[in-house]
Amino acid sequence: MNRISILSLLALFSMYLQAQESNYRYADATQTWRLTNNAAALGLDSTENRGYALFNAEHLSGDYKRVQEGMPTNQLRFQTERYQTIGKYLHGYGRFDFDYGREKDRTWCDVMRPYDANPYFAGSAIKGKYDFQDFDFTAAVGTVNLNNWQYGLRLDYKVGDLSRLRDPRSRSQLLDYKLSPAVIRTMGRHVFGLSASYQRRKEKITGVTTVQQDPTLKYYLMTGMEHADGTTGGYSSFAREWVDHTFAAEVSYGYRHADGHSVVAASIARDNEYVYGQYKYEPGRFTEFTYALDAHHRSKEGRLLHQLDLHVSYRQAYADEYRQKLQQEKDAKTGFTSFYYTNLITFKKRYQVNCFEANMRYRAHLTSQKDEKAYFGASISINDNENKYLLPTSRLSHGGTLLLTEGGTAIGKRLWIDAEAGGFLSQEAALSLSDMNTDYAQQVLLPDMRYYKANYWTGKVALSYQFPLSMKGQRSWWFVRAYGTYIRANGQMDSRCIGLSIGLYN
């Protein structure tokens, strides 16, 4: 091979490396089926082999937060993603995300989901530091077109840990996995998809300890809204687990036209979350239904790629509350005594949750072949949430609208700049309590109203710089990304976030 050929290949290789981020952004922008839960459709979007890996450090501070949210927060993260063709018949996708961090001044919550979820959780009224870490893994595989049929399977697996570092000290551990088989049928330009899933989520606190003995230390058990029972020394024998089983199904339809493609997906999910204490004590059971509709459209007009995404979801949930009595039986032969609870009274749907969410985003991407050069767009998000406790009746409702504009551009061959700006308008924030003098009402619900009533404006800027780096004779294309977000809300509240990432494309 002569020198001219070698130089030509090197030039082409250099151009390929320089286009890594622009090419990755373009491939992400064209995806539609990847945004559904259908793993069989992996081969319907871009099938080129690509991936990235990055390390990220982030700091979050400010006072625009709710009581049960910790701040300031420091977090480290490792994240990697890969699309890969496997042999002649399979397309694969994998993602791994690990984060570790610490949040301060968190209170009244020792579980991972305190909002719009199961009301039977626990916590301390004393502010404390919490360490958290999560391992989140996704693997999906889909076949190529086999006589107009495609099949797929997806696995989502997550484990987590949330540890309180101040008396009373708790440790919440999470195991969450989801299995989703799927199938696709292609008929000309029409594509029909069906997927189902089973998800099991288990979070548990096996015990609460203290380093120092404090005879006045209380531990609270929540049952919904302002109702929380605080017991001095109640942490000493506390143990609880939350076991959630979710069954879901999704139907999808896609149409590919001359200058683009569109996908519509509708899904329904039903889950039952069981709550168990010592001797299988059950304070209640949480049931939830989720209905969702998603639509994604992509079309090409010259160098412009139009992206339109729509999402609408409605969650309807309720908790039955139980009154139980501890029973004991002694075996006459062995002398062993067994303990169990029997249910005396059931209060049907005593705690209720209703959440509506709708958002729409439009982006126009300026492209060159399969690279993105710039983009601009706007989005609108609407949410409306209600928590209600019956007999006596208490109600919390809040919601609003978030409007954002966004844009980004490549500067030269190595630099990308992204910016976002907008504002949130609180349209509803109302609290009605049957008893406003409880500890939970005074220290959580009433202070949180300041958060729910606040309007805010927000801005975000991110800079990404790419550079080549050779290690052991292998040249790779690396990047450094710095970003910052600022939120300014009513009542002199604000929130600040800064972060730095370093990674590579592969």
Side-chain angles (χ1 to χ4, degrees), residues 291-466:
Y291 312 91
L293 177 67
D294 292 89
H296 311 285
H297 173 76
R298 307 290 185 270
S299 63
K300 201 77 180 291
E301 183 182 355
R303 294 183 60 190
L304 279 181
L305 171 65
H306 299 280
Q307 172 186 351
L308 182 63
D309 296 301
L310 173 68
H311 169 77
V312 179
S313 67
Y314 175 64
R315 290 176 54 225
Q316 184 179 37
Y318 60 87
D320 294 335
E321 184 176 318
Y322 301 151
R323 289 288 188 270
Q324 297 189 326
K325 181 180 180 180
L326 179 63
Q327 306 281 0
Q328 65 180 35
E329 288 184 358
K330 186 174 183 179
D331 191 299
K333 293 182 179 180
T334 63
F336 291 112
T337 302
S338 59
F339 298 88
Y340 61 92
Y341 280 89
T342 57
N343 196 37
L344 303 178
I345 303 174
T346 298
F347 297 93
K348 290 285 189 179
K349 298 184 179 181
R350 189 157 201 185
Y351 179 73
Q352 301 176 10
V353 176
N354 292 281
C355 300
F356 173 79
E357 179 184 4
N359 55 69
M360 181 176 65
R361 183 178 72 172
Y362 169 77
R363 271 189 180 184
H365 304 264
L366 180 63
T367 65
S368 175
Q369 296 181 347
K370 291 188 176 182
D371 292 337
E372 182 177 57
K373 299 301 182 182
Y375 71 90
F376 62 90
S379 65
I380 179 172
S381 299
I382 301 171
N383 71 82
D384 185 18
N385 304 282
E386 180 188 55
N387 294 181
K388 183 165 60 174
Y389 185 91
L390 300 179
L391 299 177
T393 300
S394 297
R395 180 183 287 106
L396 167 66
S397 58
H398 59 90
T401 301
L402 175 64
L403 293 170
L404 293 172
T405 58
E406 58 184 357
T409 183
I411 301 176
K413 296 180 178 181
R414 297 192 178 186
L415 184 65
W416 259 93
I417 180 169
D418 300 271
E420 181 181 88
F424 174 80
L425 177 63
S426 176
Q427 295 170 302
E428 181 183 14
L431 178 64
S432 174
L433 300 177
S434 61
D435 186 355
M436 301 183 65
N437 297 314
T438 67
D439 292 341
Y440 195 83
Q442 290 291 319
Q443 298 183 44
V444 180
L445 296 177
L446 291 172
D448 275 352
M449 292 306 296
R450 185 166 173 252
Y451 175 92
Y452 294 129
K453 291 179 179 179
N455 303 323
Y456 70 78
W457 64 266
T458 180
K460 179 179 180 179
V461 175
L463 293 172
S464 302
Y465 179 76
Q466 305 175 78

Side-chain angles (χ1 to χ4, degrees), residues 65-73 101-110 123-132 162-170 217:
K65 70 179 188 71
R66 292 175 286 191
V67 171
Q68 292 162 305
E69 296 171 329
M71 199 181 293
T73 301
R102 173 172 294 180
E103 55 184 354
K104 299 179 180 179
D105 294 337
R106 176 171 171 153
T107 183
W108 284 99
C109 179
D110 285 348
S124 170
I126 301 173
K127 292 182 178 180
K129 298 178 183 178
Y130 287 76
D131 278 353
F132 61 89
L162 178 67
S163 299
R164 179 178 167 91
L165 306 180
R166 181 177 179 179
D167 290 350
R169 300 167 188 260
S170 65
L217 194 61

Side-chain angles (χ1 to χ4, degrees), residues 171-175 202-206 240-242:
R171 183 184 182 188
S172 178
Q173 296 172 291
L174 172 69
L175 172 62
K202 181 179 179 180
E203 185 176 352
K204 66 178 182 178
I205 299 176
T206 55
R240 185 162 291 186
E241 60 182 38
W242 298 262

Side-chain angles (χ1 to χ4, degrees), residues 50-348:
R50 60 190 179 97
Y52 71 85
L54 66 82
F55 290 94
N56 174 257
E58 184 176 279
H59 173 74
L60 180 66
S61 62
D63 56 0
Y64 179 67
K65 70 179 188 71
R66 292 175 286 191
V67 171
Q68 292 162 305
E69 296 171 329
M71 199 181 293
T73 301
N74 295 310
Q75 179 176 286
L76 296 175
R77 165 170 283 173
F78 171 74
Q79 188 178 88
T80 183
E81 176 184 75
R82 182 70 182 174
Y83 295 85
Q84 182 72 43
T85 299
I86 307 171
K88 295 181 179 180
Y89 301 103
L90 296 175
H91 299 288
Y93 171 76
R95 182 183 178 88
F96 176 74
D97 193 343
F98 167 71
D99 69 83
Y100 172 78
R102 173 172 294 180
E103 55 184 354
K104 299 179 180 179
D105 294 337
R106 176 171 171 153
T107 183
W108 284 99
C109 179
D110 285 348
V111 298
M112 301 179 187
R113 298 190 305 185
Y115 297 105
D116 301 320
N118 197 316
Y120 305 113
F121 61 95
S124 170
I126 301 173
K127 292 182 178 180
K129 298 178 183 178
Y130 287 76
D131 278 353
F132 61 89
Q133 59 179 340
D134 300 284
F135 295 84
D136 198 346
F137 171 75
T138 297
V141 64
T143 67
V144 298
N145 193 313
L146 303 172
N147 295 322
N148 294 324
W149 290 92
Q150 292 170 252
Y151 308 92
L153 183 66
R154 171 172 170 160
L155 171 67
D156 296 283
Y157 183 84
K158 181 177 181 178
V159 291
D161 187 286
L162 178 67
S163 299
R164 179 178 167 91
L165 306 180
R166 181 177 179 179
D167 290 350
R169 300 167 188 260
S170 65
R171 183 184 182 188
S172 178
Q173 296 172 291
L174 172 69
L175 172 62
D176 186 351
Y177 59 85
K178 178 180 177 183
L179 193 64
S180 308
V183 63
I184 285 287
R185 170 67 171 173
T186 302
M187 302 175 65
R189 294 186 175 184
H190 305 274
V191 181
F192 301 89
L194 175 65
S195 68
S197 66
Y198 167 72
Q199 181 177 4
R200 183 179 185 271
R201 182 186 188 276
K202 181 179 179 180
E203 185 176 352
K204 66 178 182 178
I205 299 176
T206 55
V208 181
T209 62
T210 59
V211 174
Q212 298 178 347
Q213 296 297 323
D214 185 348
T216 65
L217 194 61
K218 283 187 176 182
Y219 200 66
Y220 289 82
L221 306 181
M222 291 63 158
T223 57
M225 294 300 292
E226 75 270 30
H227 304 282
D229 183 19
T231 304
T232 302
Y235 55 85
S236 59
S237 60
F238 178 79
R240 185 162 291 186
E241 60 182 38
W242 298 262
V243 183
D244 191 359
H245 301 275
T246 303
F247 295 89
E250 180 187 79
V251 293
S252 49
Y253 168 74
Y255 179 75
R256 188 170 294 275
H257 40 88
D259 57 353
H261 55 283
S262 303
V263 173
V264 178
S267 63
I268 181 173
R270 183 185 190 275
D271 69 273
N272 281 324
E273 187 168 53
Y274 300 81
V275 186
Y276 298 116
Q278 191 177 34
Y279 306 127
K280 292 296 181 180
Y281 164 72
E282 291 187 74
R285 185 173 301 174
F286 189 70
T287 303
E288 179 178 323
F289 296 87
T290 303
Y291 312 91
L293 177 67
D294 292 89
H296 311 285
H297 173 76
R298 307 290 185 270
S299 63
K300 201 77 180 291
E301 183 182 355
R303 294 183 60 190
L304 279 181
L305 171 65
H306 299 280
Q307 172 186 351
L308 182 63
D309 296 301
L310 173 68
H311 169 77
V312 179
S313 67
Y314 175 64
R315 290 176 54 225
Q316 184 179 37
Y318 60 87
D320 294 335
E321 184 176 318
Y322 301 151
R323 289 288 188 270
Q324 297 189 326
K325 181 180 180 180
L326 179 63
Q327 306 281 0
Q328 65 180 35
E329 288 184 358
K330 186 174 183 179
D331 191 299
K333 293 182 179 180
T334 63
F336 291 112
T337 302
S338 59
F339 298 88
Y340 61 92
Y341 280 89
T342 57
N343 196 37
L344 303 178
I345 303 174
T346 298
F347 297 93
K348 290 285 189 179

